[in-house]
Amino acid sequence: MRLLAPAAVAAWLGAYPTHAADLAISAPNWPSGQATANILKVGIEKDFGLQVEVKPMGTMNSFVGLEAGTVDIQPEIWRPNFDDLVQKYVEEKGAVKLAGKQIPAWQGLCATAAAAATFKSVSDLGDPEKTKVLDTDGDGQGEIWIGAPTWLSTGIERVRAKSYGYEKNLHLVEAEEDVAMAAVDAAVATDQPMVFYCYAPHHVFQLHDLTRLEEPAHDPAKWNLVSAQDPLWITKSNATTAWDTAHFQIGYATAFATKRPDVAQFLENVDFTPEEVTQMSYALGVERQAPLDYAKKWVEQNAARVAGWGKP
């Protein structure tokens, strides 16, 4: 038999369409969010017999997808980071719902042990003589990692650097988290001082002795953030105190909840602890476990608990 031409094979296979997923979960580009997305996938498939697709996606695109119907679930909606999106899609449009259970969190700036003696407060970052020790490329000016390029918190950290004034004598580095965590590992191993954006729950605090820089207590009157929809929002915004108390929770599309109230109830019952989120971060970020493989083991080890999430 003669082999079919590639175009003929494609046409032949196209006559047999693949089954589309029943729902889609967006997966953010940080370890705990990827673990959570896949745990929800495995748990929902097991309890409800649905086919679930996990889509790597930034949070802003996730909210757009939740409204459009191309995304059904977002596993980690951080607040106050995403308050602008919550205001638009949850409170104003009613297109998204937030699950009631919240996981407490915090975020700020951390110093390695080698840096902690010099940098105790965010005000120390404004001293160019001090920040020279953070120079790693030999240009005489220090660097500070402020987050991944797609994170909304990264833009806010840029606002804070501008507002506090240390953007004048520090290079603000945006890079993916795995690159930044590798840099933290290397800095600790070589006793190189490093200051960087940090948040918890996170595995980095299990690996290293880190100190959080002191800042003025959060004052809403001194946090004036323009909507990130404005191209000039960083220039127009100002923030001269610490972050507000943070938390994150699952979000899901209102239309999806109407169509599948049983799955929505499942999402409302999900009850991860900060310690478990740290373990997820460690498994993916340090041990390099594949998110889906980790999720399958996690669901198997917590089978009774996951089954309970599906009960009213």
Side-chain angles (χ1 to χ4, degrees):
M1 294 179 63
R2 290 186 297 175
L3 294 176
L4 291 174
V9 172
W12 178 62
L13 292 175
Y16 298 88
T18 57
H19 177 63
D22 297 300
L23 64 93
I25 302 175
S26 68
N29 63 338
W30 57 87
S32 64
Q34 293 171 355
T36 302
N38 281 275
I39 288 172
L40 294 179
K41 165 188 166 67
V42 176
I44 291 171
E45 288 182 338
K46 181 178 180 181
D47 280 14
F48 301 98
L50 301 176
Q51 183 175 335
V52 181
E53 178 185 8
V54 173
K55 298 180 176 181
M57 188 179 299
T59 302
M60 293 185 71
N61 287 334
S62 294
F63 272 89
V64 173
L66 288 166
E67 181 185 29
T70 56
V71 174
D72 301 293
I73 302 168
Q74 214 284 356
E76 282 191 19
I77 294 179
W78 277 70
R79 303 188 69 181
N81 308 41
F82 306 139
D83 276 357
D84 185 38
L85 296 173
V86 170
Q87 172 71 27
K88 179 178 180 179
Y89 290 97
V90 178
E91 298 173 10
E92 295 176 4
K93 294 190 172 186
V96 179
K97 291 182 177 292
L98 300 180
K101 289 184 171 60
Q102 303 174 357
I103 299 176
W106 64 261
Q107 53 200 321
L109 298 172
C110 286
T112 61
T118 302
F119 301 97
K120 300 182 182 301
S121 166
V122 68
S123 61
D124 292 322
L125 296 175
D127 185 340
E129 291 303 312
K130 291 181 178 180
T131 55
K132 284 181 180 179
V133 302
L134 302 178
D135 178 25
T136 61
D137 58 9
D139 68 351
Q141 189 170 27
E143 298 88 40
I144 181 171
W145 180 68
I146 60 171
T150 58
W151 295 356
L152 282 176
S153 62
T154 303
I156 297 174
E157 281 300 313
R158 195 169 285 279
V159 170
R160 280 158 40 82
K162 172 180 70 75
S163 304
Y164 278 129
Y166 58 82
E167 70 165 5
K168 298 176 182 177
N169 54 287
L170 280 170
H171 290 303
L172 307 181
V173 178
E174 296 185 17
E176 293 301 329
E177 185 178 33
D178 58 345
V179 175
M181 292 303 101
V184 174
D185 295 341
V188 172
T190 59
D191 208 30
Q192 166 70 36
M194 181 175 179
V195 177
F196 59 98
Y197 167 74
C198 54
Y199 65 91
H202 196 281
H203 68 266
V204 71
F205 299 99
Q206 289 185 325
L207 295 175
H208 305 301
D209 178 19
L210 303 174
T211 300
R212 184 176 178 181
L213 298 192
E214 298 174 359
E215 298 185 53
H218 179 74
D219 183 348
K222 295 181 179 180
W223 268 65
N224 301 300
L225 297 180
V226 174
S227 170
Q229 306 299 314
D230 186 333
L232 299 177
W233 75 278
I234 292 177
T235 302
K236 296 177 180 178
S237 298
N238 193 59
T240 55
T241 63
W243 284 84
D244 195 2
T245 302
H247 67 266
F248 56 90
Q249 60 210 114
I250 295 171
Y252 54 92
T254 303
F256 169 74
T258 300
K259 182 174 64 175
R260 292 303 305 247
D262 52 347
V263 180
Q265 184 61 53
F266 175 96
L267 298 173
E268 290 287 345
N269 291 334
V270 174
D271 58 351
F272 297 123
T273 66
E275 293 74 21
E276 287 174 327
V277 173
T278 298
Q279 292 167 5
M280 295 174 192
S281 176
Y282 189 93
L284 272 62
V286 178
E287 298 176 341
R288 299 297 181 184
Q289 295 189 41
L292 183 56
D293 292 341
Y294 174 81
K296 289 177 178 177
K297 289 185 292 185
W298 195 97
V299 171
E300 181 179 354
Q301 293 167 358
N302 296 271
R305 181 175 166 200
V306 173
W309 292 344
K311 298 177 180 179

